[in-house]
Amino acid sequence: PHEPFPHERAKALRSAIKNRRLTNVKLIHYTKTIEQNPAAPGFWEMWRKLMFEFGARPGDIIVASEAYGKKLAEICKTEFFPYDIGRELNPAKATSIRDKPFQHFAEIIPEFQPYLRTTVTIFGAESTGKTTLSRQLAKELNGHWLFEYARPYLENTVNEITVRSMTAIWKGQAALQKQARQNFTDKPFIVQDTDLFSTVGYWQFPHWHAAIGDCPPGLIADAHALKSDIYIITRSNIPFEQDPLRYGGDRREGSDEYWVNVCETNNLPHIVLNSNNPTKRLQQALAIVQKIAAQKAKQLQYDRQGL
């Protein structure tokens, strides 16, 4: 129970078993503290009793990718089958991942990756440099960049604000974020050019209410289910650029305070970048994301010095 992510690791393995349809596999999660030193008196007898408690019987097969599997099979009167002890088929090693989780991120099973992945959303009003900053940040972090679904949808369908178009944007953005989390398994960072909470914010504009009504609870639920680790808000302190997809004419529809309020109302971790200098913005954003990632990585560390 004192080891890193004990319940999360078990949950990830259960999901992996289910996702791979391994119907003949049973996962046993042993949560009690036990002796860790193989040289301690009674260590192997303890493990013999545990194995029989788990259901092992003489004549069974024990498969392991560690040499101690041989000793375990011997004391249980079972047969040992080594699997890839030299790590030539599967190079993943827990020690390497604990020491350098981001460099070995692709070696972690996809079902556990969400516990270590850092998802960042660049957030705020229109024409505040969100796309530029998110692209730069993804490049600096060697992460994946995720575009905003609304733009290609409106550019390639009907450029109008209706319940139908907003619902389509909601469903498309949700699918985009889910796809990223499921398929971006090689890198530990996802940087998003806004996310579903942007859709929530637009749907809740008071001056849009007459056209589209109240924000659907399902949209808010989806946004929370797919929320990011940090929302970095860019201020409206750079020149506004008109765009056919910006409906406020020659001004922004939502103030900086409005988008901060969206974060606060939904209890989203957020920070506001006050600088209008692109270099400073990027440096500040990098520092924030790296700090969050380091905190996640730190949770993997634990002391085994005294076994």
Side-chain angles (χ1 to χ4, degrees):
H2 63 282
E3 292 192 358
F5 297 101
H7 297 285
E8 292 86 349
R9 282 189 281 162
K11 183 179 178 180
L13 285 172
R14 289 192 185 97
S15 296
I17 290 166
K18 181 180 179 180
N19 292 342
R20 290 154 183 76
R21 299 179 181 177
L22 303 177
T23 56
N24 61 336
V25 174
K26 179 182 179 182
L27 173 68
I28 298 173
H29 181 200
Y30 193 74
T31 59
K32 297 179 181 178
T33 299
I34 60 174
E35 176 61 59
Q36 295 290 304
N37 187 355
F43 178 85
W44 289 108
E45 175 60 19
M46 172 193 72
W47 266 104
R48 187 186 70 81
K49 290 180 179 179
L50 284 174
M51 291 301 292
F52 284 117
E53 180 184 325
F54 297 153
R57 293 293 180 266
D60 283 351
I61 292 170
I62 287 181
V63 181
S65 52
E66 299 283 356
Y68 60 65
K70 181 178 180 181
K71 176 68 174 180
L72 194 60
E74 178 184 319
I75 64 171
C76 294
K77 301 187 185 312
T78 56
E79 188 174 2
F80 176 49
F81 274 69
Y83 169 75
D84 196 22
I85 285 183
R87 297 299 197 276
E88 295 171 318
L89 297 177
N90 183 352
K93 294 196 72 172
T95 301
S96 300
I97 292 170
R98 284 196 303 269
D99 291 343
K100 297 180 179 180
F102 301 136
Q103 288 88 329
H104 295 275
F105 191 79
E107 297 172 14
I108 302 170
I109 62 170
E111 290 81 2
F112 186 77
Q113 286 180 341
Y115 297 108
L116 292 179
R117 179 184 290 116
T118 300
T119 304
V120 185
T121 291
I122 308 301
F123 206 60
E126 315 97 287
S127 189
T128 56
K130 297 190 299 295
T131 302
T132 299
L133 178 59
S134 61
R135 283 184 178 275
Q136 291 174 334
L137 189 58
K139 182 178 180 180
E140 289 293 323
L141 291 168
N142 189 30
H144 285 285
W145 178 75
L146 201 63
F147 62 88
E148 179 186 17
Y149 183 78
R151 176 165 289 276
Y153 173 80
L154 294 172
E155 285 178 339
N156 290 278
T157 57
V158 179
N159 183 10
E160 61 184 13
I161 301 303
T162 63
V163 171
R164 182 170 183 172
S165 66
M166 290 295 287
T167 301
I169 291 169
W170 158 20
K171 299 299 183 180
Q173 181 69 38
L176 191 66
Q177 291 177 230
K178 290 176 183 178
Q179 180 196 41
R181 295 184 180 208
Q182 293 170 1
N183 296 340
F184 289 173
T185 58
D186 59 329
K187 296 179 181 180
F189 296 98
I190 296 176
V191 182
Q192 301 177 158
D193 179 7
T194 77
D195 75 347
L196 273 178
F197 279 105
S198 179
T199 312
V200 170
Y202 279 99
W203 206 308
Q204 292 177 336
F205 274 156
H207 54 285
W208 284 16
H209 189 268
I212 58 178
D214 293 337
C215 182
L219 167 56
I220 298 174
D222 281 354
H224 278 281
L226 294 165
K227 72 177 182 180
S228 294
D229 295 294
I230 186 68
Y231 288 77
I232 299 177
I233 300 174
T234 49
R235 278 200 176 277
S236 304
N237 53 9
I238 63 174
F240 177 76
E241 295 182 6
Q242 293 191 29
D243 186 295
L245 299 184
R246 293 170 183 157
Y247 302 103
D250 59 354
R251 59 185 177 83
R252 297 176 176 92
E253 290 189 273
S255 66
D256 295 339
E257 290 72 23
Y258 177 84
W259 293 105
V260 170
N261 185 63
V262 170
C263 289
E264 291 178 346
T265 301
N266 291 282
N267 296 314
L268 304 178
H270 63 281
I271 191 164
V272 179
L273 299 183
N274 291 311
S275 176
N276 63 354
N277 181 285
T279 302
K280 287 184 178 180
R281 275 187 170 189
L282 178 58
Q283 290 173 344
Q284 291 171 354
L286 270 173
I288 293 163
V289 176
Q290 289 169 343
K291 181 179 179 180
I292 292 172
Q295 290 171 345
K296 287 192 173 188
K298 190 176 181 180
Q299 295 181 66
L300 280 176
Q301 304 304 315
Y302 59 102
D303 180 21
R304 273 189 169 177
Q305 295 301 313
L307 295 173

